[in-house]
Amino acid sequence: MEPSDGPDEARAEVRAAYDAIAQDYAATYPGTEPEARLDLAMVEDFADRVLEGGGARVLDAGCGTGRMARFLADRGCSVVGVDISPGMLAMARRHHPDLEVHEASLTDLPFADASFDGVLLWYSVIHLPDEDLARALAEVARVVRPGGHVLVASQKGDGPVDVGARLRERGHDVVLTRYHRGPRDLMSALAAVGLERRARMIREAVGREQEGQVVVLARRA
């Protein structure tokens, strides 16, 4: 399979790849097994800020199997999840039937303006090239209320990486590109849509990770 060039074809490849790995992903990572303590501390701080601000409604944008939505819901947030992959959503509905999830693209969120107190982008923008990243963050800025918080995580680096090759080694015949970004790239993209940085976490790879990680917390003015 060869990677395609257009945005529609690229999104179709991401959808197909995650549909193919959905069951394996859900079985391997039923909860927060991949996260380091620092990662979870950032998510917990995000949830605390949302709740302390008098709100509770959080969008898990790119919710996958629902494992991070579960983490937030268990801390008192009212979570709605969206994902582009029907296969991943099927796993979310199977393992977390109490959670509300919908099929949708990050670049076209089916929600009204200012309808969430917080938005989580937990490794969900990593398959978006720069143009689609800008569109997705503009959508996030639209649906989060003034004063609301946004948490975004990504592998640290510079440029595209063929992660489909790793998946093919595990028996999944898929094409999948991941875009690594540094903290300045993420912060600039957030600032461009009116999301102001409040905190950031940068760490090196641990365990089986091959890349360092970056997490940025931002707030809509």
Side-chain angles (χ1 to χ4, degrees):
M1 298 172 65
E2 293 294 330
S4 54
D5 298 323
D8 290 340
E9 292 84 354
R11 282 190 283 273
E13 286 174 353
V14 173
R15 181 184 296 110
Y18 278 97
D19 282 350
I21 69 172
Q23 289 191 1
D24 285 351
Y25 188 97
T28 304
Y29 305 120
T32 58
E33 293 81 6
E35 276 69 42
R37 290 183 181 179
L38 283 173
D39 305 338
L40 293 179
M42 290 294 289
V43 182
E44 289 176 340
D45 180 71
F46 164 76
D48 288 345
R49 289 175 188 246
V50 169
L51 295 169
E52 289 169 0
R57 195 163 190 249
V58 173
L59 175 64
D60 184 355
C63 65
T65 60
R67 62 188 190 87
M68 298 308 293
R70 173 85 281 144
F71 186 83
L72 289 171
D74 288 347
R75 277 148 187 80
C77 296
S78 175
V79 187
V80 178
V82 297
D83 202 274
I84 198 174
S85 164
M88 297 291 271
L89 290 171
M91 295 297 102
R93 293 183 180 112
R94 176 186 298 178
H95 297 291
H96 309 287
D98 59 315
L99 298 180
E100 178 185 348
V101 296
H102 305 276
E103 184 179 345
S105 169
L106 299 183
T107 58
D108 187 19
L109 295 172
F111 305 107
D113 296 357
S115 54
F116 291 94
D117 302 299
V119 179
L120 178 71
L121 294 157
W122 199 247
Y123 296 93
S124 54
V125 300
I126 59 176
H127 301 300
L128 300 179
D130 289 345
E131 180 178 351
D132 278 352
L133 174 65
R135 291 174 59 192
L137 292 181
E139 278 289 271
V140 167
R142 178 183 67 79
V143 302
V144 71
R145 66 167 175 81
H149 291 87
V150 175
L151 189 69
V152 56
S154 173
Q155 286 85 5
K156 184 178 65 172
D158 183 21
V161 175
D162 178 15
V163 292
R166 303 177 191 175
L167 294 172
R168 290 190 290 274
E169 291 175 357
R170 301 174 188 174
H172 298 291
D173 185 17
V174 299
V175 172
L176 189 62
T177 300
R178 191 165 70 194
Y179 296 88
H180 293 186
R181 294 180 171 96
R184 290 184 180 179
D185 297 322
L186 284 179
M187 290 186 293
S188 294
L190 289 163
V193 297
L195 298 171
E196 303 172 344
R197 173 172 64 96
R198 284 293 179 266
R200 67 176 183 177
M201 185 274 290
I202 305 166
R203 66 170 179 80
E204 299 308 315
V206 296
R208 297 182 179 180
E209 293 175 343
Q210 298 184 14
E211 301 88 12
Q213 314 294 315
V214 55
V215 182
V216 179
L217 176 71
R219 180 179 179 271
R220 181 181 167 189

